[in-house]
Structures are given as C-alpha cells and as structure tokens.
Amino acid sequence: MNLLSLHSLTVRRGECPVVDGVTLSVGPGECVGLIGPNGAGKTSLLRGALGLLPHEGTSNLSRMAPAARALQAAFLPQGRDIAWPVSVEDVVSLGRGPHLRNDKADAAAVTRALARMGLESYRHRTATQLSGGEQARVLIARCLAQDTPLLLADEPVAGLDPEAQIKTMQVFEGLAREGRAVVASIHDLGLAARHCTRLVMLHQGRLVADGAPREVLTDQNLAQVFGVRGYHAETEDGPVFLPMGVVR
Amino acid sequence: MTRVFWLLAGRVALLFFASLLIGPAALGLGESLSALFRGEGGPVVLVMQEIRLPRAVLGLMVGAALGLSGAAMQGFLRNPLAEPGLVGVSSTAALGAVLALQSGVAAAFALALPLAALTGAGVSVLLILLLAGPRGGALSLILAGIAISALAGALTSLVLNLSPNPFAAMEIVYWMMGSLADRSMEHVWLAAPFMVLGMAVLLATARNLDALTLGEDAAQSLGVDLNRLRLMVVLGTAAAVGASVAVAGAVGFVGLVIPHLLRPLMGGRPSLLLPASALGGAAMLLAADIAVRVIAPDQDLKLGVLTALVGAPFFLHLIWRLRGVEA
C-alpha cells in the first residue's frame, strides 16, 4: 500500500508550471529526500500533494477531506511560524488536534515526541523565546505528535546545528524503520546521501531522477541539475558525499 | 488558569450587581433587588426593571461581544493589533444608524435605529465576502475591511457635512460616542439573538484558531478548513459587533485591549483567550458604564469616550512594557 501516490501532478503559478507532471509513489519504510536547486518546485510539490495549492493530476492526499488527511499525513511547512507566546508543550500538543481527544494517549504522544527531538527540558519554555533552530525542532516534534503514517517535511534541517541535523535525520530513519514514510526536501546533499533510503531529484518542476542515493547523485545529474561536481566515498560510517566545486 | 476564569467571572457578577444598584435614584439594596422580581408597578419596580436591568444586561452582552470578537479577530489574523471593527462592521453599522437619525426614520419607531445599524452590518458582510473572494487570505480580508471602513466613514462624514439640521447632526455625533443610557428591554431582545448566535459561532472556532498559531499551511495540514473558519469569524464578528453597535453605538478599545491584557494569563492560547476575553470585556464595559454614572451623574458622559480615554493610555503602558521584550 502506497502512503503517497502522485500521478502527473502539475502545479501552476499563473501559466507557468512550477511542478510539471510528477508521478511518484512512496511506500512504508521509505525515507525519501526531495532534492533540487532553488526554484526546482520542491515546496510546490509538497503543498500541491497535500492539496494546499490548486493542481492538475491526482494526489491520494488532496482527494481526502481535511480531517481524514490530517490523520494520514503530517506536514512541516518551510516557514517557521509561531504566532503567540505559547509553551513548547502547547505547540507540540497541537499535533494531537486531528485525533479524537484522549488525554492519556495525547499526553503520552506529546512526551514521546519531545523525547525524540531531545526537547524534554524545554517543555515549559515559551516557544517564541527560543532560538530559530530550537523552534524548528519544536515544530518537528509537533509533526511527530501527530503520529501519522506519512510525514512531509519542507527543509526540516535548515538552520539546525550539526548535532540537531544528524539527530533529526536519525529520527526520520527511525520513523521509516517503524514502517512509516518520510518525504523531506533537503539542500544538504551529504545528509541526504547518508540518511535517505531514496532520493528524488527535481529540476525545473520535472522529476529527473529517482532511486538510491548513489544512483541519483551521478556526476552527470549533479552537473546538469545543480551545476556542481562532487566527491563520493564509502567509509565505515556509510557513504560520504560532498559538493566540491561549480562546473558552470 | 481555571483560577483566572473564576476571578473574571466573579468580577463580572460583582460589577453586574453594582450596575443594577448604582444610579441617580437613591434606592435601598434590599428594596431594589426585590423590585427586580416583583410583578406590580410602582416607581422602584419601574426604575429597576425598565432602566437599570436593560442597562446592566446590555453592558454585559456588549462587553462580552466586543472582547470575544477582538480575541477571535486577533487569533484569526494572527496579529495583536487586530480589533473587531477591522472588517468594517462597526463603521457600516454606524453609517446605517446615522442614516436613520438623519432621515428621521429613527424617530418613527423605537427600534428603527438599531435595525438600521444591523442592516448596515449585514451590508458590510456581503461586501467583504464579495471583495475578499471565497478563497481570499487574511491580507485580502484586512484590505477589504479597511476599504469598507474608509468608505463608510466618508459617507458618515458626508451626511454630517450636508446635514441641514444642526440638531440631527448633534444627535449623530453624540450617538457615535457610544452609550448605554436610556436603553429598554426591547433593545436587549433585539440584540440578544444576534449576539448569542455570533458569540456561539466565534466560540466554536477555538480549536481551529489554536492550530492557526502555526500558520495557514500548518493549520490546513492539521485538518482546518480555512475557508469555513474565515466565514465563521467574519459572520460571528459581524453578528456580535453589529448588534453591539446597533444598541450601544461605537464603543472602542475594549476589543483591542482586553485580549492583549489577558493573553499572557492564558498562556497565549487563542482557544482559552476567547472565553476569557468575553468575561474580561463584560467586566470592562460594566465598570466603564458604572464609572460614567459615578464620575459625572449630571453630564451624560459617553461610554465610548471613557473606554477610549482609559483604554488608550493603558494600551500605551502595555506597549511601554513590551518594548524591551519584543526587540
């Protein structure tokens, strides 16, 4: 059973398609990195898939009623937005909104999400007074508390320190091992290569490569899509990839 | 937090009874309270049932409506500067009333003025939904509201400008200052259904406003239907505030200051702020309405003048305290 299935998904801004006929299926156990240069259509793809943008083609998520979709997929938007000075615990609890109220289960899910993101000691802090990276982690914890089979995250590790970046990617890997699925747009190709089970590469709205990290991050793809060349190696700690220079 | 609710509720109850007991006619405590429930006529019964009771009930309802609408509007627009009049309801309701006063319709029958104001509020809702479109975001709503307010304000000025009758003009100016003096139970019965309905709709938005704390995309992904939420906030505010303006005129600052004041006590959560602001608004309006009677019993000091006079410096004080925190 696919958790996400898009067929010929096209999102237009005016006349111009920013996502152009993308067909994509993601099943349980996958941690998918959505990569592509700025303006490739990563955010529009995620928002279109959820039905937050008008689109052509089909998406299994956008067909659902909002309440049902909220139980199927959690979404971390790119903008880190916390409008009011609420506590960290209250922000994370918002992830429980779509579920039928059950105080015990809700409290357990919130505690679990805080623990997973290493935020236990932040529980009673005011979210708006935290640093940007800390707020980002709180918002990821909110998505975890939603406890959905699928997580769509728009640049979840942007602005995090190295430790938090690695830990966050490990949380995503853990979700995949539990039989859930994660689709995360990500600019750090090294992190993507190390932690994702599969990479999906977008270029000018089109899906240009889809497969295991080593198959997607080829010299040709990197040059054509990103305009960079990179360094690959296999180490005891797993694959290493580092962009080394520009080619155009 | 429960303690804050009890404190607020206690204060509202206290002020409600104070409002019943304070007035130019010096009545004894037991005498006035028993007069509320007595059937037969007599001056004390008349004063209590026909003058003070409607005034206290309207103070309670108008304050609650303004406080609640302010909290809902701030929660929906995610902006602490939002106030209930932002979508243009207050100014169009005022325009409706002004037209009724100017044309003399207001004198035709007792409820002509509030009915005209309610019609004005209804027109503004239609206009705003038309202008902002069915899928419009918060920004188009604010801009449409500003445009409608400006137009209604200009038309009100035009009526005053061209008014051939200085007494009508004076009446209009006084009416626009907002007051609860000389209202009857008929005003209560006219406004109550709209206010109760509007407030019920606004209270039902609580959970969705909480989710909106994280932005429109996150709220939608949490299952919030934004178009429906927007419709609920606009209609709820229009009904509650339109009815308030219809019976009390323009009473400013309650909807802006009260949510501000109570937000820190509610941990910032919009869902808790809604009922708290309803209670806080009721308390503020009842207190202000008592104050106008006590400060200047013979001068008919207008309620809206006092709320702005107290509200504005208080607001400045809040900003002064905030300036260090926000930077």
Side-chain angles (χ1 to χ4, degrees):
Chain A
M1 229 279 288
N2 283 327
L3 295 175
L4 176 68
S5 54
L6 310 177
H7 188 75
S8 312
L9 189 83
T10 299
V11 177
R12 292 177 197 280
R13 292 272 181 190
E15 277 300 291
C16 173
V18 288
V19 175
D20 197 354
V22 170
T23 298
L24 178 69
S25 296
V26 177
E30 290 195 278
C31 177
V32 180
L34 191 58
I35 58 173
N38 294 132
K42 302 183 293 295
T43 298
S44 298
L45 176 67
L46 293 174
R47 297 184 69 210
L50 281 161
L52 304 183
L53 287 176
H55 60 79
E56 296 149 40
T58 59
S59 156
N60 65 326
L61 296 178
S62 72
R63 270 206 304 262
M64 294 180 181
R69 188 187 60 212
L71 292 171
Q72 175 69 20
F75 177 49
L76 177 76
Q78 193 171 10
R80 316 263 192 248
D81 217 345
I82 304 175
W84 307 112
V86 290
S87 73
V88 167
E89 185 177 20
D90 286 341
V91 172
V92 177
S93 302
L94 290 177
R96 301 304 296 168
H99 295 265
L100 284 179
R101 194 174 150 180
N102 174 345
D103 288 340
K104 222 167 155 185
D106 291 348
V110 168
T111 302
R112 206 161 51 234
L114 286 171
R116 259 191 142 147
M117 292 310 294
L119 292 167
E120 293 105 325
S121 59
Y122 290 72
R123 186 186 271 264
H124 298 294
R125 301 266 301 272
T126 301
T128 43
Q129 288 172 0
L130 302 178
S131 78
E134 289 166 336
Q135 287 187 16
R137 282 159 60 201
V138 170
L139 291 172
I140 295 172
R142 187 277 294 172
C143 291
L144 298 181
Q146 207 171 330
D147 203 15
T148 50
L150 176 64
L151 168 61
L152 303 180
D154 199 354
E155 302 204 17
V157 298
L160 300 190
D161 61 43
E163 184 194 3
Q165 285 191 337
I166 294 173
K167 279 187 169 164
T168 300
M169 292 309 289
Q170 283 172 343
V171 167
F172 291 171
E173 287 177 296
L175 291 175
R177 275 197 300 275
E178 286 171 18
R180 301 170 198 259
V182 179
V183 179
S185 74
I186 183 166
H187 275 298
D188 188 323
L189 300 179
L191 277 177
R194 275 183 56 69
H195 298 283
C196 294
T197 58
R198 172 181 165 196
L199 294 184
V200 169
M201 188 185 263
L202 288 182
H203 185 39
Q204 294 173 352
R206 275 191 281 273
L207 193 156
V208 291
D210 179 359
R214 195 64 191 85
E215 296 161 25
V216 171
L217 295 174
T218 60
D219 291 347
Q220 196 195 356
N221 279 342
L222 286 168
Q224 266 176 8
V225 173
F226 285 95
V228 300
R229 59 191 166 74
Y231 168 80
H232 288 278
E234 289 296 329
T235 68
E236 299 171 7
D237 284 329
V240 167
F241 173 77
L242 195 64
M244 299 301 282
V246 293
V247 295
R248 58 185 176 203
Chain B
M1 254 164 242
T2 328
R3 214 171 53 101
V4 178
F5 274 109
W6 282 114
L7 272 173
L8 282 170
R11 201 159 298 180
V12 170
L14 211 66
L15 286 162
F16 183 77
F17 282 110
S19 178
L20 283 175
L21 297 176
I22 292 170
L27 306 175
L29 181 78
E31 189 188 7
S32 9
L33 286 184
S34 63
L36 273 180
F37 304 103
R38 250 184 297 155
E40 83 271 26
V44 180
V45 172
L46 198 72
V47 165
M48 289 308 293
Q49 291 187 353
E50 299 295 322
I51 298 177
R52 291 199 192 163
L53 185 62
R55 187 165 187 165
V57 171
L58 282 177
L60 183 79
M61 290 197 318
V62 169
L66 291 175
L68 177 58
S69 310
M73 199 51 87
Q74 293 187 0
F76 178 69
L77 297 175
R78 302 188 305 132
N79 190 327
L81 291 177
E83 53 113 17
L86 197 68
V87 286
V89 182
S90 315
S91 41
T92 41
L95 176 63
V98 166
L99 287 173
L101 285 169
Q102 172 61 29
S103 61
V105 175
F109 59 105
L111 293 179
L113 180 101
L115 280 173
L118 278 174
T119 311
V123 169
S124 85
V125 172
L126 289 181
L127 273 177
I128 206 144
L129 292 178
L130 207 70
L131 276 170
R135 282 183 75 97
L139 187 66
S140 57
L141 194 69
I142 296 175
L143 292 176
I146 289 174
I148 291 171
S149 292
L151 187 64
L155 289 173
T156 302
S157 302
L158 183 71
V159 172
L160 280 172
N161 189 186
L162 300 182
S163 173
N165 178 351
F167 292 107
M170 207 168 74
E171 207 182 336
I172 290 171
V173 170
Y174 276 136
W175 183 85
M176 285 201 298
M177 290 175 183
S179 170
L180 288 176
D182 308 327
R183 303 299 192 263
S184 67
M185 279 317 270
E186 285 178 330
H187 287 92
V188 174
W189 295 127
L190 175 72
F194 290 96
M195 289 194 188
V196 170
L197 199 70
M199 289 201 277
V201 169
L202 290 178
L203 284 172
T205 63
R207 267 173 83 108
N208 288 349
L209 290 183
D210 268 354
L212 205 56
T213 301
L214 302 181
E216 295 191 349
D217 270 5
Q220 280 181 284
S221 75
L222 283 166
V224 174
D225 183 339
L226 272 188
N227 292 326
R228 187 159 158 269
L229 176 60
R230 197 177 56 137
L231 199 66
M232 285 172 76
V233 170
V234 170
L235 290 180
T237 306
V241 176
S244 300
V245 176
V247 292
V251 180
F253 262 102
V254 178
L256 182 64
V257 172
I258 289 296
H260 247 291
L261 181 68
L262 295 174
R263 181 166 292 117
L265 302 179
M266 292 295 130
R269 286 176 59 183
S271 58
L272 296 176
L273 189 59
L274 292 179
S277 295
L279 290 173
M284 179 175 173
L285 212 75
L286 284 167
D289 191 43
I290 293 169
V292 296
R293 281 178 267 173
V294 173
I295 294 172
D298 309 319
Q299 305 242 306
D300 190 20
L301 179 59
K302 295 293 184 191
L303 183 62
V305 176
L306 189 79
T307 55
L309 218 54
V310 177
F314 186 73
F315 198 55
L316 285 174
H317 170 69
L318 278 180
I319 298 167
W320 183 253
R321 265 194 0 210
L322 270 176
R323 78 201 185 286
V325 184
E326 290 272 302

